Amino acid sequence: MPIPTYWVSAIFFTDLGCFDDLMMNKFQLELKKSLPDLWRYAFALSRDRTNADDIVQDCAERAVRKRDQWQRDRPIKPWLMTILLNIYRNQYRRDTYLRLVPIDDDQSKLHERLPAPSSEQDRIELAATAHAINQLPPEQREALLTVVVGGLDYGEAAKTLDIPRGTVMSRISRARARLRQIRALENGSVRRIK
Amino acid sequence: MSEEHIKNEITEAHLHAYVDGLLSQADASKVSDYLIQNPEKADEVADWAAQNKMLDNLFSHEEAELRTQDIDLSISVDRPAVFAKFLRVAAMIAIVVAGVASGWVARGTMPVQNVSLQVATVQNARAAHVLYTSEVLHPVDVGADQAAHLVDWLSSRLDTKLIAPDLSSSGFSLVGGRLLPSGDNPAAQFMYENGAGQRLTVYASPGNEEKLASFQFEKWDGFSSVYWRDQNLQYAIVGEMEREQLIAIATNVYRQLI
């Protein structure tokens, strides 16, 4: 079929519906990629797998509803973690505190569920670290987890935690010192894990 | 990422940043030199690094992947309110009318992502329009009296849920439709007719593209077409009518497909 010459009058106008769908795809993709890291963060905060599932689901739903608030040139994870942290703080933080059960029960539960490390010594270390972290005051714990598990830098962590950067640093510093102290104390006495 | 640029002394903040991997390579090696010379600090930093490692091990990436893979993100995708959509469409039309009134025209280059695909599809749509709208006896394969079957059949062939848009508000009624080739792909053509016997066709074929395209208007001899692409399909509306009228119909079709 011969191609006829034609006068092309191209009227371009942004079909806002199509544009929205395109942006929605990018958003959904970024959100989906972040979900595993969000789950780790939620699990680290709540120490409960089922709660972590719920928190991440809740976070994803809220993120979709609030997608227009995300500035697209910025990384999405810090934004998502802010949403997640708020969910955790508003609904689950109290529960986590209450679940600080007596020492032995806590450690044996962890012992069963920890990822398989290479040796018994490693298992003990892991359990002990988990326990030590739970003894931190919540604001120190959250600051530490936001950086170390969440993977944010101090500036992003400051925004997510809604505190000044200097405060993030001092909380992390205190958390680390505290953990060191706890472990030193524990190492001073022999503990048998069931 | 370099959070703390080490200009003078190494502070505790630098040490934390070092352990958290937030220093540039140059700064990190300054710190490691410093730690070699300060064994007590080195012990402290080593403990922090061990804590980090423990935290990483405690919260497994594999488990996180497993537990999040089924999270359904589509449930909360709420379609914009019909009214908001209507406003946007109205805004679109206003822009187009303004463009027409001011005589604005873009010649030559079409800044569309996949020009060859569009060109081929519009050609096919136009050829099919010209060929079948001039048919008296058999303009369509399946008539409007079997509209439901027509839509089911074409949807099945294109492997996408299609509808035959209702153009009665534009004065056009469905004549019927047929299945056509578009290269190696199937295409659907719906034909409409108005009271004056004028016919227009709505042509849809798979896009296989992620890039969307907004309305593209073309005019050739007496025929005009409007083409666009969404996530699944390409559409081309072909008719013999003025630009405004065809765009209004295309908009009508588009709104029904949302």
Side-chain angles (χ1 to χ4, degrees):
Chain A
M1 171 120 197
I3 300 171
T5 52
Y6 49 81
W7 173 70
V8 175
S9 151
I11 297 176
F12 301 106
F13 50 88
T14 319
D15 177 85
L16 300 175
C18 275
F19 184 72
D20 259 1
D21 284 340
L22 187 62
M23 282 296 114
M24 185 65 206
N25 283 343
K26 177 176 200 280
F27 173 82
Q28 273 180 307
L29 205 67
E30 297 282 311
L31 173 55
K32 194 137 180 76
K33 277 197 307 198
S34 306
L35 292 177
D37 285 346
L38 291 176
W39 193 88
R40 289 180 79 233
Y41 186 48
F43 181 40
L45 286 170
S46 66
R47 301 192 307 127
D48 183 294
R49 287 169 166 81
T50 311
N51 284 348
D53 294 344
D54 292 341
I55 290 171
V56 173
Q57 179 72 46
D58 196 347
C59 174
E61 288 176 18
R62 289 187 197 202
V64 171
R65 282 202 297 276
K66 291 158 63 142
R67 63 189 178 272
D68 293 331
Q69 292 178 28
W70 170 52
Q71 295 165 273
R72 282 175 195 104
D73 52 335
R74 300 180 142 267
I76 201 174
K77 213 170 74 162
W79 181 74
L80 293 170
M81 280 170 63
T82 308
I83 296 173
L84 193 150
L85 185 64
N86 279 326
I87 294 167
Y88 166 72
R89 280 171 164 173
N90 292 332
Q91 297 171 33
Y92 294 87
R93 200 201 238 178
R94 194 183 59 90
D95 288 349
T96 307
Y97 239 161
L98 290 178
R99 221 179 291 113
L100 279 179
V101 291
I103 222 169
D104 290 340
D105 287 350
D106 201 30
Q107 293 208 341
S108 66
K109 262 199 289 202
L110 281 167
H111 183 75
E112 283 157 39
R113 291 205 212 161
L114 288 171
S118 47
S119 72
E120 183 63 23
Q121 183 57 35
D122 287 346
R123 280 186 165 261
I124 294 171
E125 281 295 320
L126 269 180
T129 305
H131 183 69
I133 284 166
N134 296 330
Q135 293 183 55
L136 293 174
E139 67 278 359
Q140 287 180 21
R141 196 170 148 265
E142 285 164 23
L144 186 67
L145 293 178
T146 300
V147 168
V148 178
V149 178
L152 302 189
D153 64 41
Y154 303 139
E156 290 165 342
K159 287 204 207 93
T160 295
L161 295 158
D162 200 22
I163 53 180
R165 196 158 167 278
T167 311
V168 173
M169 312 248 17
S170 69
R171 286 181 184 177
I172 287 178
S173 172
R174 290 207 294 277
R176 287 178 164 154
R178 186 82 179 255
L179 286 175
R180 237 183 142 218
Q181 207 178 30
I182 293 170
R183 297 293 292 118
L185 284 172
E186 285 174 357
N187 284 333
S189 58
V190 174
R191 305 185 78 78
R192 290 211 54 82
I193 315 287
K194 294 197 204 60
Chain B
M1 166 162 325
S2 39
E3 280 258 345
E4 320 277 338
H5 294 290
I6 300 179
K7 293 183 189 106
N8 304 308
E9 316 186 325
I10 291 185
T11 67
E12 192 190 325
H14 296 141
L15 299 180
H16 286 287
Y18 174 76
V19 157
D20 291 326
L22 295 171
L23 290 180
S24 68
Q25 214 164 3
D27 285 346
S29 53
K30 282 188 200 161
V31 171
S32 62
D33 287 343
Y34 166 84
L35 290 175
I36 289 170
Q37 283 155 30
N38 290 273
E40 263 183 36
K41 285 289 177 190
D43 271 347
E44 196 177 0
V45 168
D47 277 356
W48 299 344
Q51 292 166 13
N52 277 8
K53 187 101 207 315
M54 290 292 140
L55 277 173
D56 202 47
N57 290 342
L58 271 172
F59 308 113
S60 145
H61 292 269
E62 285 88 11
E63 184 177 21
E65 300 260 3
L66 276 174
R67 287 188 89 100
T68 54
Q69 64 190 9
D70 292 328
I71 288 186
D72 183 8
L73 297 176
S74 63
I75 36 160
S76 333
V77 176
D78 49 274
R79 280 300 182 183
V82 172
F83 183 59
K85 202 82 184 180
F86 175 75
L87 279 184
R88 297 215 286 249
V89 168
M92 262 170 23
I93 296 173
I95 293 166
V96 169
V97 168
V100 169
S102 62
W104 177 79
V105 154
R107 285 186 184 272
T109 56
M110 286 190 278
V112 182
Q113 302 299 348
N114 219 303
V115 176
S116 56
L117 178 66
Q118 172 181 337
V119 166
T121 303
V122 172
Q123 257 184 272
N124 289 340
R126 266 208 303 267
H129 175 94
V130 170
L131 186 63
Y132 294 114
T133 53
S134 56
E135 279 289 314
V136 174
L137 281 181
H138 306 291
V140 295
D141 268 348
V142 177
D145 54 329
Q146 297 182 69
H149 164 67
L150 170 67
V151 171
D152 283 345
W153 168 51
L154 292 176
S155 298
S156 159
R157 283 291 175 276
L158 267 66
D159 201 25
T160 308
K161 189 160 165 25
L162 293 173
I163 60 156
D166 178 359
L167 299 181
S168 48
S169 59
S170 308
F172 282 85
S173 58
L174 183 68
V175 178
R178 62 170 70 238
L179 179 68
L180 291 167
S182 178
D184 287 330
N185 290 321
Q189 184 198 57
F190 296 104
M191 188 183 296
Y192 297 80
E193 195 172 64
N194 70 3
Q198 247 190 326
R199 285 175 170 171
L200 72 87
T201 54
V202 175
Y203 183 93
S205 90
N208 286 338
E209 294 292 324
E210 284 189 11
K211 301 202 167 95
L212 314 179
S214 47
F215 280 23
Q216 309 287 316
F217 177 85
E218 292 177 29
K219 201 168 152 74
W220 163 64
D221 285 358
F223 298 95
S224 312
S225 65
V226 172
Y227 168 94
W228 77 90
R229 214 161 45 227
D230 73 11
Q231 278 157 294
N232 297 325
L233 293 169
Q234 311 173 72
Y235 298 90
I237 319 281
V238 186
E240 287 166 86
M241 58 187 70
E242 289 309 308
R243 191 185 317 182
E244 291 98 324
Q245 196 186 357
L246 190 64
I247 288 181
I249 290 174
T251 307
N252 191 355
V253 171
Y254 177 81
R255 251 189 286 156
Q256 294 181 48
L257 294 168
I258 297 167

